Amino acid sequence: MSTSLEQAPAQLAAAAEQLLDYARQSGASDAQVLLSSGHGLSLNLRQGRLRARRAEGHNSVSLTVYRGQRQGTTHSTDFSAASLADMARAACDIAAHTAQDHCAGLPDASLMTQAPLDLQLHHPWAVSAEEAQALAARIEQGISDQGPQVQSDGAFVSAYEACSFLANSRGFAHGYAQSSHALSANALASDGQRRHLSHWRSHERYSERLQMPEQIGARAASKALAYLDEQPLCTGRYRVLFDPDMAISLLMDFANAASGRALYTHGSYLRDRLGSQVMAEHLSLSEDPFQLAGLGSAPFDSDGLSGQRRRVVEHGQLQGYFLSTYSGRRLGLPSTGNANGPYNLSLHSQLTRDSDDWPAMLAQLDRGLLVAELAGEGTHLINGDYSRSAKGFWVENGVITHAVTGITIAGNLNSLLGDILAVGNDVVTRGHFSSGSVLIAHMQIGGR
Amino acid sequence: MTDIRLTIACERLLAPYGVDLNDLRNTLDQVMEHQVDFADLYLQSRRRESWSLENSQVTGGTFSVDHGFGLRASELDQSAFAYSQQITREQLQKAALSVRSIAGKGRNARVAIPEPRALMHSSYGTDDPLPVLASAAKVALLERIEQLACALDPRVSRAGATLELTHEVMMVMRHDGRLAADVRPLLMLHMWVVVEHNGRRETASGGMGGRNGFEHIEMSLVEAEVRRVVDSALTNLDAIQAPSGQLPVVLASGWPGMLLHEAMGHGFEGDFNRVGSSVYASQMDKTVAAPGVTIVDDATVPGARGSLNIDDEGEPGQRTTLIENGVLRSYMHDDLNARLMGQKVTGNGRRQSYAHLPMPRMTNTFMQPGPYAAEEIIASVKHGVYLADLGSGQVDIVSGQFSFQSALAWLIEDGRLTTPIRGATLTGSGPQTLRQISMVGNDLALDRGLAICGKAGQSVPVGVGQPTLKIDGLVVGGTA
């Protein structure tokens, strides 16, 4: 990658200032600008052939103007002066047609982040196309090393860095750079009759922290191979263990239900639930916006406000939501600095012991379903109804006996989180979320 | 140059940036100096306006502009790609130097003078839906929807609506001189309601859309759709727990055709079949579905959301029979996969934008009607589920396992619809499901024009459709 990002902050700051000027000239009483510029490389190899090599390059600029409490928004990819002037005019035209919204408007200047922290989010990876292809080849080697029944259906390498800058008419003007790099593998296992595709991915801000390419290939391959030994499961009510990745999917559903828009549109079962029991009593959910180099870290949100280190859930009780300035005003609550969603979130249980590793969690499951993959948008945030298609493994006496596919699991998110018996210390982090595996008393499984 | 679309594309994509067709040709020339088999240069401009109403007010108005070019070079099955949001000679040249390194040096091919292709047919007009009526009319439409919804029943506690109008202009020039352009309007009106009664909350959504302008919205159709959405949400207030396990399922006509899109459509896309990852690879001319099942992909349906005058590689949109009376007749191809498999292109080369590589994608995919009345099909089921409306769907094309979510459903008991059941996921195996279609209705309908299909991180608008269908067994994921 080139080093053109070095000049980016100054260029973005200059464009931001110009756009705020145009907005004022077009009649805005307040305005906010968010610009970003990024570039990178991504590459997809399949069985030694280069399916695609992409030179990535991205610019975006968004403007929100306020005329009193009417607002208008424009987005563009063009930083030229003429285009910026057009954007300001168009946004002010829109604001002439929208209704007064007493919740609209910039946050109070005193709430905005004064001195943004350096969270060490930017670690450029100067990987060349040739080097990236060599890494992808090593991922594919990791797959084929797992035997003749499995082959690569794609190895992916990506390196990306971007700079963003936020400015508003009340004096906020700060930017920061960040990077995001990933290696991943798709492995296809086949025994002539059954076929299964599995995926494994490593994603970090530092390229040095990425898993070894061979290991990524091997993880995808062994996952895919495990599904070849498959047997049907009868419909019934069973004890269930969500592996750490699937436990994280429950946290994502919960975070969506606790987010501003779902709450103020009356679309979430967590509306009016602050202070009440939303998970089992031994559980807490902590949020940390400032974890160094964390994928879910940011010095401020798109309103210019910082998040907080906090417990979103403590002793199973809901302590707070994920709110922006706007959604906070709609709900009569202060912003939590979450205009861009949750920061790093992790689930903890008071009951977790050092010995609760993966085999110990399988032993606690004893007999039941280990859920390892889920598909479908089957979580109804409005009432918590939960029904998804699943794949996983049947466990007897704490040992995996065979794979199970083509099934559904169903319950209600509120009662599932209340029925969590244990959280393992086999913690996995995916993007913003961390969790160990999660044991649930029982769920309805649809099968043969 | 008589094609109005090409004239509009040159005015919109080239003239403002001081670039002309010769600059595009020179860019492709530079790429072809290497031993590249294929190259194309795609330019696109997309303007989008959206208005949304929530909490009784239109408080959100957004206008977006996005334009740029994407340059691709391929050598056999390998591709390099670069894109930029600045349509300038400098950026074009930079992209050419970047992508041509996919192949070795040593050819001196010149690109022929482009011959514009005459457009054979047109499934939609060139109207720009954005400025047709004043913003005030758009705001008034959304306000009317909310008033209607709230007036229909006191249990409606919230209603909202979003109107999104897009005007896209694209142009593609290929290494062999092919030049084509299209102008694509797209309108989407989405609406949702929340209903509350005795502490229970439910929601439903709907809307309408297609490749046409704001003036095509008919108020009587909007009113009917508001009633349907409110009825769905109210019905769900009385819904009981859905059953779990394998049951016969009857799917209503229209949007439930998403089942076909997921259960088989993706499996018929050329890329998955060329590399052998689809369950339908090497099934050509074999029986893959029950007799009586005929499925087409048709880009020529007038005004439909998935329709295309030309695809994103300049190939005319067409109607392709995928399954004819149960027998697999064609995959859906883009240029690359058709070329490598030695098959005909089918006009299915699509991309989300200039910043994405094209791949084989569906347009409007639907099943042809059969002999049965919907009532007969329902009456044939002793104990099962009737799906009147669906949410979203997904498929794993390697195993063929698909799933989708019900949005409005009833129990069928002794051939009659009895009690509404709560939303649940249904799952099945695509190849098995195609063979388990035991009755096909005579009531073919397309969806309302809201469908978005995602594949490998790229979203494109599509259409789906089907007549009422009976499937002998799907796994229903309820809690009862």
Side-chain angles (χ1 to χ4, degrees):
Chain A
M1 286 195 293
S2 74
T3 52
S4 64
L5 205 57
E6 279 166 21
Q7 296 112 41
Q11 283 169 359
L12 296 184
E17 197 177 328
Q18 194 173 25
L19 186 48
L20 287 176
D21 273 345
Y22 287 137
R24 274 186 218 102
Q25 289 161 22
S26 300
S29 50
D30 256 325
Q32 172 167 288
V33 176
L34 178 64
L35 295 107
S36 77
S37 176
H39 66 114
L41 170 75
S42 67
L43 184 141
N44 169 6
L45 196 69
R46 187 181 182 281
Q47 296 182 17
R49 301 292 293 170
L50 192 61
R51 265 194 121 173
R53 186 189 79 203
R54 293 164 48 92
E56 310 276 356
H58 160 261
N59 289 317
S60 71
V61 48
S62 298
L63 167 71
T64 299
V65 301
Y66 300 96
R67 299 176 83 164
Q69 284 180 311
R70 300 172 193 269
Q71 63 172 317
T73 303
T74 50
H75 304 292
S76 171
T77 50
D78 189 344
F79 290 4
S80 71
S83 168
L84 296 179
D86 284 347
M87 279 182 81
R89 268 194 302 274
C92 288
D93 285 349
I94 291 169
H97 288 96
T98 53
Q100 295 274 359
D101 182 347
H102 69 280
C103 296
L106 294 176
D108 195 280
S110 66
L111 298 173
M112 295 174 200
T113 307
Q114 304 301 320
L117 299 173
D118 175 4
L119 301 174
Q120 298 173 25
L121 306 180
H122 186 216
H123 301 274
W125 182 20
V127 63
S128 70
E130 293 71 29
E131 289 163 345
Q133 189 162 344
L135 286 170
R138 286 173 59 192
I139 294 172
E140 294 209 301
Q141 187 62 47
I143 295 172
S144 48
D145 284 349
Q146 298 298 306
Q149 284 190 321
V150 64
Q151 58 176 17
S152 170
D153 194 46
F156 303 82
V157 177
S158 70
Y160 195 74
E161 58 173 327
C163 183
S164 59
F165 194 89
L166 179 74
N168 66 36
S169 54
R170 296 188 183 173
F172 186 92
H174 293 287
Y176 62 95
Q178 54 183 319
S179 53
S180 167
H181 314 302
L183 301 180
S184 65
N186 283 345
L188 202 166
S190 169
D191 60 5
Q193 256 192 319
R194 295 194 177 86
R195 292 143 54 81
H196 194 90
L197 184 71
S198 284
H199 181 73
W200 189 261
R201 181 165 193 252
S202 174
H203 180 199
E204 298 285 350
R205 292 198 186 275
Y206 287 79
S207 60
E208 296 82 358
R209 290 189 187 172
L210 291 168
Q211 274 178 295
M212 295 293 283
E214 290 83 358
Q215 220 176 357
I216 291 162
R219 286 300 293 264
S222 55
K223 264 178 81 180
L225 285 167
Y227 283 103
L228 292 180
D229 176 22
E230 178 201 334
Q231 287 177 35
L233 180 66
C234 290
T235 299
R237 215 162 171 74
Y238 302 106
R239 202 169 158 91
V240 168
L241 181 69
F242 281 66
D243 79 9
D245 279 294
M246 296 306 106
I248 283 170
S249 78
L250 292 176
L251 297 186
M252 292 165 91
D253 285 339
F254 179 81
N256 286 335
S259 292
R261 189 179 156 81
L263 294 162
Y264 73 70
T265 56
H266 294 225
S268 168
Y269 78 98
L270 291 176
R271 189 179 160 88
D272 300 328
R273 294 282 301 274
L274 277 183
S276 72
Q277 203 74 29
V278 295
M279 291 186 183
E281 226 178 288
H282 58 98
L283 296 176
S284 64
L285 184 65
S286 57
E287 183 179 37
D288 183 359
F290 308 123
Q291 187 186 309
L292 293 181
L295 282 163
S297 300
F300 50 84
D301 70 2
S302 57
D303 293 335
L305 273 58
S306 298
Q308 322 142 43
R309 282 200 185 96
R310 60 171 177 156
R311 292 281 174 99
V312 177
V313 175
E314 187 156 32
H315 302 303
Q317 289 177 351
L318 184 62
Q319 304 293 313
Y321 292 127
F322 302 103
L323 303 177
S324 65
T325 300
Y326 180 79
S327 60
R329 286 175 184 156
R330 288 290 300 272
L331 296 164
L333 294 167
S335 166
T336 56
N338 290 101
N340 302 93
Y343 299 101
N344 305 293
L345 282 183
S346 54
L347 182 70
H348 306 278
S349 162
Q350 292 168 351
L351 308 176
T352 305
R353 290 161 304 177
D354 290 346
S355 56
D356 288 336
D357 57 5
W358 176 236
M361 293 304 288
L362 284 177
Q364 284 195 50
L365 171 63
D366 185 38
R367 179 175 189 274
L369 180 72
L370 163 61
V371 178
E373 282 184 42
L374 288 166
E377 295 165 4
T379 310
H380 290 251
L381 296 183
I382 195 165
N383 52 25
D385 280 357
Y386 184 92
S387 168
R388 304 190 69 186
S389 74
K391 285 174 189 164
F393 300 91
W394 185 250
V395 173
E396 288 280 351
N397 300 318
V399 178
I400 290 174
T401 59
H402 57 83
V404 181
T405 68
I407 56 169
T408 57
I409 63 171
N412 181 281
L413 186 58
N414 192 47
S415 35
L416 288 179
L417 296 172
D419 287 345
I420 291 178
L421 300 174
V423 179
N425 77 354
D426 48 346
V427 177
V428 162
T429 299
R430 295 279 174 206
H432 297 212
F433 297 88
S434 299
S435 179
S437 52
V438 155
L439 183 65
I440 292 177
H442 48 76
M443 286 186 83
Q444 182 70 24
I445 314 293
R448 175 172 282 189
Chain B
M1 205 183 294
T2 50
D3 184 348
I4 176 76
R5 289 174 174 80
L6 190 58
T7 309
I8 294 173
C10 289
E11 278 169 11
R12 183 82 164 268
L13 296 166
L14 304 181
Y17 313 105
V19 172
D20 60 27
L21 289 173
N22 282 321
D23 295 313
L24 307 188
R25 195 192 62 195
N26 291 339
T27 304
L28 288 165
D29 277 348
Q30 270 189 311
V31 174
M32 298 305 289
E33 283 169 11
H34 280 228
Q35 290 175 336
V36 165
D37 300 329
F38 178 97
D40 64 358
L41 176 56
Y42 178 88
L43 298 97
Q44 181 196 36
S45 160
R46 186 184 277 148
R47 296 184 303 138
R48 180 170 288 159
E49 176 186 316
S50 79
W51 297 92
S52 62
L53 177 143
E54 188 266 322
N55 202 25
S56 306
Q57 289 178 320
V58 175
T59 53
T62 303
F63 181 70
S64 316
V65 289
D66 187 4
H67 59 245
F69 72 85
L71 178 64
R72 163 173 66 156
S74 303
E75 183 244 354
L76 295 173
D77 56 340
Q78 307 201 106
S79 299
F81 180 64
Y83 65 93
S84 172
Q85 289 153 336
Q86 292 160 277
I87 302 173
T88 60
R89 277 189 207 102
E90 186 198 348
Q91 290 295 326
L92 287 166
Q93 186 180 5
K94 198 173 143 195
L97 297 179
S98 159
V99 301
R100 71 182 188 179
S101 62
I102 190 80
K105 290 178 191 159
R107 178 165 29 194
N108 202 1
R110 299 294 294 179
V111 174
I113 302 288
E115 287 285 338
R117 297 184 123 206
L119 199 57
M120 301 306 286
H121 73 94
S122 163
S123 302
Y124 43 84
T126 58
D127 295 349
D128 184 346
L130 274 60
V132 170
L133 276 178
S135 305
K138 295 167 183 167
V139 169
L141 171 70
L142 300 179
E143 289 172 345
R144 178 83 189 115
I145 288 170
E146 200 228 10
Q147 289 157 5
L148 278 169
C150 291
L152 279 171
D153 195 288
R155 290 170 289 179
V156 175
S157 67
R158 296 264 145 177
T162 299
L163 176 67
E164 190 181 278
L165 306 120
T166 308
H167 192 238
E168 179 189 337
V169 177
M170 60 72 75
M171 168 194 268
V172 60
M173 187 188 281
R174 205 161 77 167
H175 68 280
D176 61 2
R178 177 197 284 185
L179 176 67
D182 197 12
V183 178
R184 299 169 178 164
L186 190 65
L187 175 146
M188 186 163 92
L189 175 63
H190 179 255
M191 57 184 85
W192 55 270
V193 300
V194 172
V195 294
E196 293 181 54
H197 188 60
N198 291 340
R200 191 161 156 186
R201 264 188 225 146
E202 285 289 346
T203 183
S205 65
M208 58 188 61
R211 291 212 178 273
N212 38 46
F214 183 70
E215 72 280 12
H216 290 269
I217 293 184
E218 273 184 53
M219 209 50 215
S220 62
L221 295 178
V222 173
E223 286 168 11
E225 181 64 2
V226 174
R227 272 194 295 278
R228 192 194 63 80
V229 170
V230 170
D231 284 347
S232 291
L234 293 175
T235 302
N236 281 330
L237 279 177
D238 298 324
I240 60 165
Q241 302 297 336
S244 61
Q246 204 156 37
L247 288 169
V249 172
V250 176
L251 289 121
S253 64
W255 171 232
M258 185 245 287
L259 167 94
L260 305 173
H261 176 105
E262 300 297 348
M264 56 115 254
H266 283 294
F268 294 168
E269 289 169 340
D271 46 354
F272 297 132
N273 289 287
R274 177 173 65 79
V275 301
S277 59
S278 166
V279 279
Y280 298 105
S282 70
Q283 295 288 304
M284 191 57 76
D285 294 320
K286 293 186 180 155
T287 298
V288 297
V293 172
T294 294
I295 298 172
V296 301
D297 181 79
D298 189 351
T300 68
V301 181
R305 184 171 160 85
S307 292
L308 292 173
N309 288 327
I310 55 168
D311 73 2
D312 292 325
E313 299 182 310
E315 200 60 42
Q318 55 184 271
R319 180 185 171 101
T320 306
T321 300
L322 305 173
I323 295 180
E324 186 179 16
N325 198 19
V327 178
L328 176 58
R329 290 299 184 203
S330 180
Y331 297 131
M332 286 169 279
H333 281 306
D334 62 354
D335 188 275
L336 180 101
N337 289 288
R339 192 156 27 95
L340 293 170
M341 289 180 82
Q343 296 179 359
K344 272 195 339 207
V345 289
T346 56
N348 290 92
R350 303 186 65 186
R351 59 204 298 171
Q352 178 178 313
S353 78
Y354 62 85
H356 299 84
L357 277 165
M359 52 185 163
R361 301 296 294 263
M362 286 173 260
T363 62
N364 304 298
T365 313
F366 50 91
M367 185 185 291
Q368 296 294 93
Y372 297 99
E375 303 73 47
E376 277 181 274
I377 297 178
I378 293 166
S380 75
V381 176
K382 177 120 183 75
H383 177 66
V385 169
Y386 176 73
L387 292 174
D389 197 15
L390 305 184
S392 60
Q394 306 77 33
V395 66
D396 168 355
I397 59 107
V398 163
S399 64
Q401 195 73 36
F402 66 89
S403 61
F404 55 88
Q405 286 73 49
S406 71
L408 183 65
W410 276 267
L411 280 181
I412 309 177
E413 291 166 300
D414 292 324
R416 286 176 36 247
L417 302 188
T418 53
T419 318
I421 53 177
R422 297 178 85 127
T425 288
L426 285 88
T427 185
S429 149
Q432 277 174 29
T433 299
L434 276 180
R435 292 167 192 274
Q436 287 179 326
I437 296 173
S438 56
M439 292 175 93
V440 179
N442 55 15
D443 54 349
L444 169 64
L446 292 189
D447 69 309
R448 292 180 283 272
L450 300 170
I452 295 166
C453 169
K455 172 178 169 185
Q458 292 195 42
S459 296
V460 295
V462 295
V464 301
Q466 66 173 31
T468 299
L469 285 188
K470 177 172 145 189
I471 296 165
D472 288 338
L474 286 178
V475 175
V476 182
T479 52

